[in-house]
Amino acid sequence: MGIIQIELFTTLDLVGQAPGGPDEDPDGFSYGGWQVPLLNETSDAQVVAAYADTDALLLGRRTYDIFADYWPHQDDEFGALFNRIPKYVASRGSADLSWGGSTQLGPDLPSAINEIRDRHQHVTVVGSLDLVQTLLSERLFDRLDLWVHPILLGSGKRIFDAGTVPANLRLVDPPVASPSGTVFLRYELADGVPATGDMSQL
């Protein structure tokens, strides 16, 4: 059975909206493209490594539309990968699936995720914050990669929003910081829910 791996870029206040550009997700948000000034060779190499074993993409509708408009015209490393592998779209509406290898998932997302796990070894979720909220609340993921950038925005869609359920995560590798101060964190979903304690008993 394969894994579902979520890849997310976030600020210190956990805003994940529109890191790549002002037109990515502009709804009521003035900071689109906040990640771009902080990119560097270290973080670029981390992202490339994170996708090394990807054999399918799982995307929300907005992210899919952005990708379908851009990646079919690219012939770099990511373009070759994204154009070759299957793409699965989680959408309640009717999606334009003109990008080769694209399939829209049915309304029963847990069942659809299990079918994808059976079909692939390494399914990567990119951006897709609304979809990510569902994956987090339903515990439909195995690994979570976060690139935490040293800025505060104070507004925008947050990664862990209302509806996030209590869960334990395990840090897979030591954190790695880039020259710009961006920290890469890789977690795996662990069993159980967070425990509580009493400091006065220590």
Side-chain angles (χ1 to χ4, degrees), residues 47-96:
V47 172
V48 170
Y51 284 86
D53 298 321
T54 296
D55 62 355
L57 292 177
L58 173 58
L59 306 170
R61 171 67 180 276
R62 185 190 295 268
T63 300
Y64 173 81
D65 287 344
I66 293 170
F67 276 31
D69 185 58
Y70 178 78
W71 286 112
H73 312 292
Q74 309 304 313
D75 59 2
D76 59 10
E77 184 175 5
F78 279 109
L81 174 65
F82 291 170
N83 289 316
R84 182 181 74 250
I85 62 178
K87 279 74 67 175
Y88 297 97
V89 188
S91 175
R92 296 183 182 90
S94 178
D96 176 4

mmCIF file of all heavy atoms in Angstrom, residues 47-96:
data_model
loop_
_atom_site.group_PDB
_atom_site.id
_atom_site.type_symbol
_atom_site.label_atom_id
_atom_site.label_comp_id
_atom_site.label_asym_id
_atom_site.label_seq_id
_atom_site.Cartn_x
_atom_site.Cartn_y
_atom_site.Cartn_z
ATOM 1 N N VAL A 47 13.153 20.429 -2.227
ATOM 2 C CA VAL A 47 11.898 20.191 -2.948
ATOM 3 C C VAL A 47 12.094 19.111 -4.007
ATOM 4 O O VAL A 47 11.266 18.196 -4.148
ATOM 5 C CB VAL A 47 11.371 21.499 -3.568
ATOM 6 C CG1 VAL A 47 10.180 21.210 -4.474
ATOM 7 C CG2 VAL A 47 10.987 22.495 -2.487
ATOM 8 N N VAL A 48 13.176 19.203 -4.759
ATOM 9 C CA VAL A 48 13.462 18.190 -5.784
ATOM 10 C C VAL A 48 13.544 16.804 -5.150
ATOM 11 O O VAL A 48 12.949 15.840 -5.651
ATOM 12 C CB VAL A 48 14.766 18.518 -6.530
ATOM 13 C CG1 VAL A 48 15.187 17.345 -7.418
ATOM 14 C CG2 VAL A 48 14.598 19.779 -7.374
ATOM 15 N N ALA A 49 14.243 16.692 -4.019
ATOM 16 C CA ALA A 49 14.392 15.406 -3.339
ATOM 17 C C ALA A 49 13.055 14.889 -2.827
ATOM 18 O O ALA A 49 12.797 13.678 -2.843
ATOM 19 C CB ALA A 49 15.382 15.541 -2.185
ATOM 20 N N ALA A 50 12.180 15.796 -2.387
ATOM 21 C CA ALA A 50 10.887 15.386 -1.839
ATOM 22 C C ALA A 50 10.017 14.711 -2.893
ATOM 23 O O ALA A 50 9.173 13.874 -2.563
ATOM 24 C CB ALA A 50 10.165 16.592 -1.247
ATOM 25 N N TYR A 51 10.210 15.072 -4.154
ATOM 26 C CA TYR A 51 9.397 14.507 -5.229
ATOM 27 C C TYR A 51 10.042 13.303 -5.896
ATOM 28 O O TYR A 51 9.482 12.754 -6.853
ATOM 29 C CB TYR A 51 9.140 15.578 -6.294
ATOM 30 C CG TYR A 51 8.110 16.593 -5.907
ATOM 31 C CD1 TYR A 51 8.460 17.714 -5.170
ATOM 32 C CD2 TYR A 51 6.782 16.448 -6.289
ATOM 33 C CE1 TYR A 51 7.520 18.664 -4.799
ATOM 34 C CE2 TYR A 51 5.829 17.391 -5.934
ATOM 35 C CZ TYR A 51 6.207 18.494 -5.189
ATOM 36 O OH TYR A 51 5.275 19.419 -4.830
ATOM 37 N N ALA A 52 11.178 12.865 -5.407
ATOM 38 C CA ALA A 52 11.973 11.863 -6.116
ATOM 39 C C ALA A 52 11.202 10.585 -6.430
ATOM 40 O O ALA A 52 11.354 10.002 -7.497
ATOM 41 C CB ALA A 52 13.220 11.534 -5.307
ATOM 42 N N ASP A 53 10.368 10.111 -5.504
ATOM 43 C CA ASP A 53 9.674 8.837 -5.701
ATOM 44 C C ASP A 53 8.204 9.001 -6.091
ATOM 45 O O ASP A 53 7.462 8.017 -6.143
ATOM 46 C CB ASP A 53 9.759 8.011 -4.415
ATOM 47 C CG ASP A 53 11.200 7.676 -4.051
ATOM 48 O OD1 ASP A 53 11.985 7.391 -4.980
ATOM 49 O OD2 ASP A 53 11.544 7.714 -2.854
ATOM 50 N N THR A 54 7.780 10.223 -6.356
ATOM 51 C CA THR A 54 6.375 10.476 -6.656
ATOM 52 C C THR A 54 5.931 9.742 -7.919
ATOM 53 O O THR A 54 6.570 9.861 -8.967
ATOM 54 C CB THR A 54 6.130 11.992 -6.834
ATOM 55 O OG1 THR A 54 6.403 12.657 -5.605
ATOM 56 C CG2 THR A 54 4.706 12.267 -7.252
ATOM 57 N N ASP A 55 4.834 8.982 -7.810
ATOM 58 C CA ASP A 55 4.299 8.320 -9.002
ATOM 59 C C ASP A 55 2.845 8.708 -9.269
ATOM 60 O O ASP A 55 2.204 8.133 -10.158
ATOM 61 C CB ASP A 55 4.461 6.804 -8.926
ATOM 62 C CG ASP A 55 3.712 6.167 -7.768
ATOM 63 O OD1 ASP A 55 3.126 6.896 -6.935
ATOM 64 O OD2 ASP A 55 3.699 4.914 -7.694
ATOM 65 N N ALA A 56 2.315 9.707 -8.532
ATOM 66 C CA ALA A 56 0.985 10.256 -8.811
ATOM 67 C C ALA A 56 0.831 11.558 -8.031
ATOM 68 O O ALA A 56 1.453 11.744 -6.985
ATOM 69 C CB ALA A 56 -0.117 9.279 -8.423
ATOM 70 N N LEU A 57 0.004 12.457 -8.561
ATOM 71 C CA LEU A 57 -0.326 13.701 -7.877
ATOM 72 C C LEU A 57 -1.784 13.667 -7.445
ATOM 73 O O LEU A 57 -2.648 13.178 -8.179
ATOM 74 C CB LEU A 57 -0.121 14.909 -8.794
ATOM 75 C CG LEU A 57 1.296 15.277 -9.206
ATOM 76 C CD1 LEU A 57 1.257 16.460 -10.181
ATOM 77 C CD2 LEU A 57 2.147 15.617 -7.987
ATOM 78 N N LEU A 58 -2.049 14.196 -6.257
ATOM 79 C CA LEU A 58 -3.409 14.385 -5.763
ATOM 80 C C LEU A 58 -3.588 15.883 -5.525
ATOM 81 O O LEU A 58 -2.854 16.481 -4.722
ATOM 82 C CB LEU A 58 -3.620 13.599 -4.470
ATOM 83 C CG LEU A 58 -4.942 13.811 -3.731
ATOM 84 C CD1 LEU A 58 -6.126 13.480 -4.633
ATOM 85 C CD2 LEU A 58 -4.971 12.972 -2.451
ATOM 86 N N LEU A 59 -4.546 16.498 -6.223
ATOM 87 C CA LEU A 59 -4.673 17.953 -6.226
ATOM 88 C C LEU A 59 -6.119 18.377 -5.989
ATOM 89 O O LEU A 59 -7.055 17.704 -6.410
ATOM 90 C CB LEU A 59 -4.212 18.518 -7.582
ATOM 91 C CG LEU A 59 -2.823 18.120 -8.064
ATOM 92 C CD1 LEU A 59 -2.623 18.547 -9.514
ATOM 93 C CD2 LEU A 59 -1.749 18.725 -7.170
ATOM 94 N N GLY A 60 -6.271 19.525 -5.329
ATOM 95 C CA GLY A 60 -7.560 20.178 -5.276
ATOM 96 C C GLY A 60 -7.838 20.863 -6.601
ATOM 97 O O GLY A 60 -6.948 21.034 -7.436
ATOM 98 N N ARG A 61 -9.078 21.289 -6.785
ATOM 99 C CA ARG A 61 -9.499 21.831 -8.083
ATOM 100 C C ARG A 61 -8.711 23.074 -8.477
ATOM 101 O O ARG A 61 -8.250 23.200 -9.623
ATOM 102 C CB ARG A 61 -11.000 22.145 -8.032
ATOM 103 C CG ARG A 61 -11.524 22.920 -9.233
ATOM 104 C CD ARG A 61 -11.470 22.099 -10.513
ATOM 105 N NE ARG A 61 -11.977 22.859 -11.637
ATOM 106 C CZ ARG A 61 -13.269 22.973 -11.947
ATOM 107 N NH1 ARG A 61 -14.192 22.379 -11.202
ATOM 108 N NH2 ARG A 61 -13.647 23.674 -12.979
ATOM 109 N N ARG A 62 -8.535 24.043 -7.565
ATOM 110 C CA ARG A 62 -7.841 25.284 -7.915
ATOM 111 C C ARG A 62 -6.391 25.015 -8.293
ATOM 112 O O ARG A 62 -5.892 25.511 -9.301
ATOM 113 C CB ARG A 62 -7.898 26.289 -6.759
ATOM 114 C CG ARG A 62 -7.290 27.635 -7.109
ATOM 115 C CD ARG A 62 -7.154 28.508 -5.870
ATOM 116 N NE ARG A 62 -8.434 28.858 -5.292
ATOM 117 C CZ ARG A 62 -9.113 29.962 -5.609
ATOM 118 N NH1 ARG A 62 -8.631 30.800 -6.499
ATOM 119 N NH2 ARG A 62 -10.259 30.226 -5.016
ATOM 120 N N THR A 63 -5.716 24.200 -7.490
ATOM 121 C CA THR A 63 -4.320 23.881 -7.796
ATOM 122 C C THR A 63 -4.219 23.115 -9.105
ATOM 123 O O THR A 63 -3.317 23.362 -9.915
ATOM 124 C CB THR A 63 -3.689 23.069 -6.651
ATOM 125 O OG1 THR A 63 -3.749 23.835 -5.443
ATOM 126 C CG2 THR A 63 -2.234 22.731 -6.957
ATOM 127 N N TYR A 64 -5.142 22.199 -9.333
ATOM 128 C CA TYR A 64 -5.129 21.450 -10.592
ATOM 129 C C TYR A 64 -5.250 22.395 -11.786
ATOM 130 O O TYR A 64 -4.512 22.268 -12.777
ATOM 131 C CB TYR A 64 -6.253 20.421 -10.630
ATOM 132 C CG TYR A 64 -6.366 19.743 -11.977
ATOM 133 C CD1 TYR A 64 -5.518 18.694 -12.316
ATOM 134 C CD2 TYR A 64 -7.285 20.191 -12.935
ATOM 135 C CE1 TYR A 64 -5.597 18.087 -13.563
ATOM 136 C CE2 TYR A 64 -7.364 19.593 -14.180
ATOM 137 C CZ TYR A 64 -6.518 18.544 -14.490
ATOM 138 O OH TYR A 64 -6.579 17.955 -15.728
ATOM 139 N N ASP A 65 -6.183 23.342 -11.731
ATOM 140 C CA ASP A 65 -6.373 24.269 -12.847
ATOM 141 C C ASP A 65 -5.110 25.082 -13.124
ATOM 142 O O ASP A 65 -4.732 25.313 -14.280
ATOM 143 C CB ASP A 65 -7.548 25.205 -12.563
ATOM 144 C CG ASP A 65 -8.893 24.513 -12.669
ATOM 145 O OD1 ASP A 65 -8.950 23.400 -13.241
ATOM 146 O OD2 ASP A 65 -9.891 25.068 -12.165
ATOM 147 N N ILE A 66 -4.437 25.523 -12.046
ATOM 148 C CA ILE A 66 -3.189 26.280 -12.196
ATOM 149 C C ILE A 66 -2.118 25.405 -12.842
ATOM 150 O O ILE A 66 -1.433 25.811 -13.786
ATOM 151 C CB ILE A 66 -2.709 26.817 -10.834
ATOM 152 C CG1 ILE A 66 -3.682 27.872 -10.298
ATOM 153 C CG2 ILE A 66 -1.305 27.401 -10.943
ATOM 154 C CD1 ILE A 66 -3.414 28.278 -8.870
ATOM 155 N N PHE A 67 -1.978 24.184 -12.345
ATOM 156 C CA PHE A 67 -0.974 23.263 -12.878
ATOM 157 C C PHE A 67 -1.274 22.895 -14.331
ATOM 158 O O PHE A 67 -0.369 22.834 -15.165
ATOM 159 C CB PHE A 67 -0.923 21.992 -12.022
ATOM 160 C CG PHE A 67 -0.058 22.102 -10.795
ATOM 161 C CD1 PHE A 67 0.108 23.306 -10.131
ATOM 162 C CD2 PHE A 67 0.584 20.985 -10.289
ATOM 163 C CE1 PHE A 67 0.900 23.397 -9.009
ATOM 164 C CE2 PHE A 67 1.385 21.062 -9.168
ATOM 165 C CZ PHE A 67 1.543 22.277 -8.528
ATOM 166 N N ALA A 68 -2.552 22.625 -14.621
ATOM 167 C CA ALA A 68 -2.925 22.204 -15.975
ATOM 168 C C ALA A 68 -2.695 23.301 -16.991
ATOM 169 O O ALA A 68 -2.474 23.024 -18.179
ATOM 170 C CB ALA A 68 -4.387 21.760 -15.992
ATOM 171 N N ASP A 69 -2.730 24.537 -16.550
ATOM 172 C CA ASP A 69 -2.478 25.663 -17.447
ATOM 173 C C ASP A 69 -0.987 25.886 -17.680
ATOM 174 O O ASP A 69 -0.592 26.423 -18.712
ATOM 175 C CB ASP A 69 -3.113 26.927 -16.854
ATOM 176 C CG ASP A 69 -2.993 28.126 -17.779
ATOM 177 O OD1 ASP A 69 -3.478 28.044 -18.924
ATOM 178 O OD2 ASP A 69 -2.397 29.145 -17.358
ATOM 179 N N TYR A 70 -0.159 25.452 -16.720
ATOM 180 C CA TYR A 70 1.272 25.771 -16.771
ATOM 181 C C TYR A 70 2.159 24.580 -17.174
ATOM 182 O O TYR A 70 2.945 24.683 -18.126
ATOM 183 C CB TYR A 70 1.705 26.304 -15.408
ATOM 184 C CG TYR A 70 3.174 26.634 -15.313
ATOM 185 C CD1 TYR A 70 3.680 27.819 -15.853
ATOM 186 C CD2 TYR A 70 4.080 25.772 -14.684
ATOM 187 C CE1 TYR A 70 5.028 28.135 -15.774
ATOM 188 C CE2 TYR A 70 5.426 26.074 -14.604
ATOM 189 C CZ TYR A 70 5.902 27.253 -15.147
ATOM 190 O OH TYR A 70 7.237 27.550 -15.078
ATOM 191 N N TRP A 71 2.021 23.458 -16.479
ATOM 192 C CA TRP A 71 3.013 22.403 -16.613
ATOM 193 C C TRP A 71 3.028 21.682 -17.969
ATOM 194 O O TRP A 71 4.108 21.234 -18.407
ATOM 195 C CB TRP A 71 2.858 21.380 -15.487
ATOM 196 C CG TRP A 71 3.364 21.921 -14.178
ATOM 197 C CD1 TRP A 71 2.637 22.236 -13.072
ATOM 198 C CD2 TRP A 71 4.724 22.248 -13.860
ATOM 199 N NE1 TRP A 71 3.447 22.740 -12.085
ATOM 200 C CE2 TRP A 71 4.741 22.749 -12.547
ATOM 201 C CE3 TRP A 71 5.933 22.160 -14.557
ATOM 202 C CZ2 TRP A 71 5.902 23.161 -11.918
ATOM 203 C CZ3 TRP A 71 7.096 22.574 -13.934
ATOM 204 C CH2 TRP A 71 7.077 23.060 -12.624
ATOM 205 N N PRO A 72 1.929 21.567 -18.685
ATOM 206 C CA PRO A 72 2.025 20.911 -19.994
ATOM 207 C C PRO A 72 2.954 21.622 -20.969
ATOM 208 O O PRO A 72 3.387 21.023 -21.961
ATOM 209 C CB PRO A 72 0.572 20.935 -20.501
ATOM 210 C CG PRO A 72 -0.254 20.952 -19.270
ATOM 211 C CD PRO A 72 0.523 21.816 -18.304
ATOM 212 N N HIS A 73 3.295 22.870 -20.686
ATOM 213 C CA HIS A 73 4.158 23.639 -21.586
ATOM 214 C C HIS A 73 5.603 23.715 -21.091
ATOM 215 O O HIS A 73 6.413 24.451 -21.658
ATOM 216 C CB HIS A 73 3.595 25.062 -21.723
ATOM 217 C CG HIS A 73 2.124 25.094 -22.006
ATOM 218 N ND1 HIS A 73 1.580 24.651 -23.206
ATOM 219 C CD2 HIS A 73 1.078 25.484 -21.239
ATOM 220 C CE1 HIS A 73 0.273 24.783 -23.161
ATOM 221 N NE2 HIS A 73 -0.065 25.278 -21.985
ATOM 222 N N GLN A 74 5.925 22.953 -20.037
ATOM 223 C CA GLN A 74 7.267 22.987 -19.470
ATOM 224 C C GLN A 74 7.980 21.669 -19.754
ATOM 225 O O GLN A 74 7.363 20.606 -19.690
ATOM 226 C CB GLN A 74 7.209 23.233 -17.952
ATOM 227 C CG GLN A 74 6.355 24.421 -17.542
ATOM 228 C CD GLN A 74 6.780 25.714 -18.203
ATOM 229 O OE1 GLN A 74 7.969 26.034 -18.226
ATOM 230 N NE2 GLN A 74 5.827 26.460 -18.739
ATOM 231 N N ASP A 75 9.283 21.767 -20.045
ATOM 232 C CA ASP A 75 10.044 20.550 -20.318
ATOM 233 C C ASP A 75 11.219 20.381 -19.368
ATOM 234 O O ASP A 75 12.190 19.682 -19.673
ATOM 235 C CB ASP A 75 10.534 20.534 -21.769
ATOM 236 C CG ASP A 75 11.419 21.736 -22.102
ATOM 237 O OD1 ASP A 75 11.682 22.565 -21.204
ATOM 238 O OD2 ASP A 75 11.845 21.847 -23.262
ATOM 239 N N ASP A 76 11.132 21.029 -18.174
ATOM 240 C CA ASP A 76 12.183 20.853 -17.178
ATOM 241 C C ASP A 76 11.906 19.587 -16.369
ATOM 242 O O ASP A 76 11.032 18.791 -16.706
ATOM 243 C CB ASP A 76 12.286 22.080 -16.270
ATOM 244 C CG ASP A 76 10.987 22.380 -15.532
ATOM 245 O OD1 ASP A 76 10.057 21.542 -15.571
ATOM 246 O OD2 ASP A 76 10.893 23.457 -14.906
ATOM 247 N N GLU A 77 12.666 19.401 -15.289
ATOM 248 C CA GLU A 77 12.563 18.175 -14.497
ATOM 249 C C GLU A 77 11.153 17.966 -13.939
ATOM 250 O O GLU A 77 10.580 16.871 -14.024
ATOM 251 C CB GLU A 77 13.581 18.220 -13.352
ATOM 252 C CG GLU A 77 13.640 16.969 -12.508
ATOM 253 C CD GLU A 77 14.752 17.027 -11.477
ATOM 254 O OE1 GLU A 77 15.410 18.075 -11.354
ATOM 255 O OE2 GLU A 77 14.960 16.013 -10.790
ATOM 256 N N PHE A 78 10.570 19.023 -13.377
ATOM 257 C CA PHE A 78 9.237 18.895 -12.810
ATOM 258 C C PHE A 78 8.184 18.753 -13.905
ATOM 259 O O PHE A 78 7.212 18.004 -13.758
ATOM 260 C CB PHE A 78 8.911 20.089 -11.908
ATOM 261 C CG PHE A 78 9.491 19.968 -10.531
ATOM 262 C CD1 PHE A 78 10.538 20.772 -10.129
ATOM 263 C CD2 PHE A 78 8.990 19.036 -9.640
ATOM 264 C CE1 PHE A 78 11.074 20.655 -8.873
ATOM 265 C CE2 PHE A 78 9.519 18.911 -8.362
ATOM 266 C CZ PHE A 78 10.570 19.720 -7.977
ATOM 267 N N GLY A 79 8.349 19.485 -14.989
ATOM 268 C CA GLY A 79 7.413 19.353 -16.093
ATOM 269 C C GLY A 79 7.366 17.933 -16.623
ATOM 270 O O GLY A 79 6.287 17.376 -16.879
ATOM 271 N N ALA A 80 8.539 17.324 -16.798
ATOM 272 C CA ALA A 80 8.598 15.946 -17.286
ATOM 273 C C ALA A 80 7.894 14.995 -16.328
ATOM 274 O O ALA A 80 7.146 14.097 -16.752
ATOM 275 C CB ALA A 80 10.051 15.523 -17.489
ATOM 276 N N LEU A 81 8.109 15.194 -15.019
ATOM 277 C CA LEU A 81 7.483 14.328 -14.025
ATOM 278 C C LEU A 81 5.974 14.518 -13.995
ATOM 279 O O LEU A 81 5.200 13.554 -14.098
ATOM 280 C CB LEU A 81 8.065 14.623 -12.637
ATOM 281 C CG LEU A 81 7.404 13.902 -11.464
ATOM 282 C CD1 LEU A 81 7.619 12.394 -11.569
ATOM 283 C CD2 LEU A 81 7.924 14.434 -10.130
ATOM 284 N N PHE A 82 5.534 15.762 -13.867
ATOM 285 C CA PHE A 82 4.105 16.038 -13.717
ATOM 286 C C PHE A 82 3.314 15.647 -14.963
ATOM 287 O O PHE A 82 2.167 15.221 -14.861
ATOM 288 C CB PHE A 82 3.878 17.512 -13.401
ATOM 289 C CG PHE A 82 4.346 17.938 -12.037
ATOM 290 C CD1 PHE A 82 4.395 19.277 -11.686
ATOM 291 C CD2 PHE A 82 4.745 17.007 -11.089
ATOM 292 C CE1 PHE A 82 4.820 19.678 -10.433
ATOM 293 C CE2 PHE A 82 5.180 17.394 -9.826
ATOM 294 C CZ PHE A 82 5.213 18.734 -9.502
ATOM 295 N N ASN A 83 3.905 15.801 -16.127
ATOM 296 C CA ASN A 83 3.208 15.448 -17.356
ATOM 297 C C ASN A 83 3.132 13.935 -17.571
ATOM 298 O O ASN A 83 2.233 13.444 -18.258
ATOM 299 C CB ASN A 83 3.878 16.120 -18.557
ATOM 300 C CG ASN A 83 3.646 17.620 -18.576
ATOM 301 O OD1 ASN A 83 2.547 18.087 -18.349
ATOM 302 N ND2 ASN A 83 4.701 18.382 -18.843
ATOM 303 N N ARG A 84 4.066 13.204 -16.964
ATOM 304 C CA ARG A 84 4.134 11.759 -17.167
ATOM 305 C C ARG A 84 3.203 10.983 -16.229
ATOM 306 O O ARG A 84 2.575 10.004 -16.640
ATOM 307 C CB ARG A 84 5.576 11.280 -16.960
ATOM 308 C CG ARG A 84 5.769 9.781 -17.200
ATOM 309 C CD ARG A 84 7.203 9.359 -16.968
ATOM 310 N NE ARG A 84 7.550 9.322 -15.545
ATOM 311 C CZ ARG A 84 8.376 10.168 -14.941
ATOM 312 N NH1 ARG A 84 8.961 11.144 -15.618
ATOM 313 N NH2 ARG A 84 8.642 10.058 -13.657
ATOM 314 N N ILE A 85 3.127 11.411 -14.966
ATOM 315 C CA ILE A 85 2.432 10.601 -13.966
ATOM 316 C C ILE A 85 0.929 10.926 -13.924
ATOM 317 O O ILE A 85 0.498 11.982 -14.379
ATOM 318 C CB ILE A 85 3.054 10.808 -12.573
ATOM 319 C CG1 ILE A 85 2.907 12.276 -12.131
ATOM 320 C CG2 ILE A 85 4.521 10.376 -12.578
ATOM 321 C CD1 ILE A 85 3.460 12.542 -10.737
ATOM 322 N N PRO A 86 0.120 10.014 -13.367
ATOM 323 C CA PRO A 86 -1.324 10.283 -13.232
ATOM 324 C C PRO A 86 -1.594 11.445 -12.276
ATOM 325 O O PRO A 86 -0.861 11.657 -11.308
ATOM 326 C CB PRO A 86 -1.867 8.968 -12.664
ATOM 327 C CG PRO A 86 -0.843 7.937 -13.008
ATOM 328 C CD PRO A 86 0.474 8.644 -12.967
ATOM 329 N N LYS A 87 -2.661 12.184 -12.579
ATOM 330 C CA LYS A 87 -3.124 13.269 -11.736
ATOM 331 C C LYS A 87 -4.545 12.966 -11.278
ATOM 332 O O LYS A 87 -5.401 12.651 -12.104
ATOM 333 C CB LYS A 87 -3.135 14.603 -12.509
ATOM 334 C CG LYS A 87 -1.798 15.300 -12.624
ATOM 335 C CD LYS A 87 -0.833 14.680 -13.599
ATOM 336 C CE LYS A 87 -1.287 14.802 -15.034
ATOM 337 N NZ LYS A 87 -0.253 14.295 -15.991
ATOM 338 N N TYR A 88 -4.792 13.072 -9.966
ATOM 339 C CA TYR A 88 -6.119 12.841 -9.410
ATOM 340 C C TYR A 88 -6.635 14.162 -8.837
ATOM 341 O O TYR A 88 -5.938 14.838 -8.086
ATOM 342 C CB TYR A 88 -6.071 11.764 -8.329
ATOM 343 C CG TYR A 88 -5.647 10.426 -8.874
ATOM 344 C CD1 TYR A 88 -4.319 10.010 -8.783
ATOM 345 C CD2 TYR A 88 -6.559 9.579 -9.500
ATOM 346 C CE1 TYR A 88 -3.914 8.786 -9.301
ATOM 347 C CE2 TYR A 88 -6.166 8.346 -10.017
ATOM 348 C CZ TYR A 88 -4.835 7.961 -9.911
ATOM 349 O OH TYR A 88 -4.443 6.749 -10.422
ATOM 350 N N VAL A 89 -7.873 14.499 -9.198
ATOM 351 C CA VAL A 89 -8.445 15.794 -8.829
ATOM 352 C C VAL A 89 -9.612 15.581 -7.873
ATOM 353 O O VAL A 89 -10.570 14.863 -8.197
ATOM 354 C CB VAL A 89 -8.946 16.556 -10.072
ATOM 355 C CG1 VAL A 89 -9.342 17.974 -9.698
ATOM 356 C CG2 VAL A 89 -7.890 16.551 -11.168
ATOM 357 N N ALA A 90 -9.521 16.201 -6.700
ATOM 358 C CA ALA A 90 -10.628 16.178 -5.741
ATOM 359 C C ALA A 90 -11.450 17.439 -5.943
ATOM 360 O O ALA A 90 -10.972 18.546 -5.652
ATOM 361 C CB ALA A 90 -10.092 16.102 -4.312
ATOM 362 N N SER A 91 -12.649 17.296 -6.466
ATOM 363 C CA SER A 91 -13.495 18.451 -6.753
ATOM 364 C C SER A 91 -14.956 18.053 -6.664
ATOM 365 O O SER A 91 -15.346 16.983 -7.138
ATOM 366 C CB SER A 91 -13.195 18.996 -8.151
ATOM 367 O OG SER A 91 -14.085 20.046 -8.484
ATOM 368 N N ARG A 92 -15.753 18.929 -6.036
ATOM 369 C CA ARG A 92 -17.195 18.675 -5.970
ATOM 370 C C ARG A 92 -17.886 19.046 -7.280
ATOM 371 O O ARG A 92 -18.983 18.591 -7.559
ATOM 372 C CB ARG A 92 -17.810 19.459 -4.815
ATOM 373 C CG ARG A 92 -17.301 19.047 -3.437
ATOM 374 C CD ARG A 92 -18.005 19.823 -2.348
ATOM 375 N NE ARG A 92 -17.508 19.470 -1.032
ATOM 376 C CZ ARG A 92 -16.488 20.073 -0.430
ATOM 377 N NH1 ARG A 92 -15.874 21.071 -1.042
ATOM 378 N NH2 ARG A 92 -16.089 19.702 0.770
ATOM 379 N N GLY A 93 -17.241 19.910 -8.061
ATOM 380 C CA GLY A 93 -17.814 20.334 -9.323
ATOM 381 C C GLY A 93 -17.298 19.508 -10.483
ATOM 382 O O GLY A 93 -16.652 18.471 -10.301
ATOM 383 N N SER A 94 -17.579 19.980 -11.681
ATOM 384 C CA SER A 94 -17.132 19.305 -12.891
ATOM 385 C C SER A 94 -15.825 19.935 -13.359
ATOM 386 O O SER A 94 -15.777 21.112 -13.691
ATOM 387 C CB SER A 94 -18.204 19.432 -13.984
ATOM 388 O OG SER A 94 -17.776 18.823 -15.174
ATOM 389 N N ALA A 95 -14.750 19.151 -13.339
ATOM 390 C CA ALA A 95 -13.419 19.662 -13.688
ATOM 391 C C ALA A 95 -13.108 19.429 -15.157
ATOM 392 O O ALA A 95 -13.530 18.430 -15.751
ATOM 393 C CB ALA A 95 -12.360 18.994 -12.817
ATOM 394 N N ASP A 96 -12.353 20.352 -15.752
ATOM 395 C CA ASP A 96 -11.839 20.193 -17.112
ATOM 396 C C ASP A 96 -10.580 19.332 -17.026
ATOM 397 O O ASP A 96 -9.566 19.772 -16.494
ATOM 398 C CB ASP A 96 -11.525 21.561 -17.712
ATOM 399 C CG ASP A 96 -10.889 21.461 -19.103
ATOM 400 O OD1 ASP A 96 -10.771 20.328 -19.625
ATOM 401 O OD2 ASP A 96 -10.508 22.512 -19.640
#
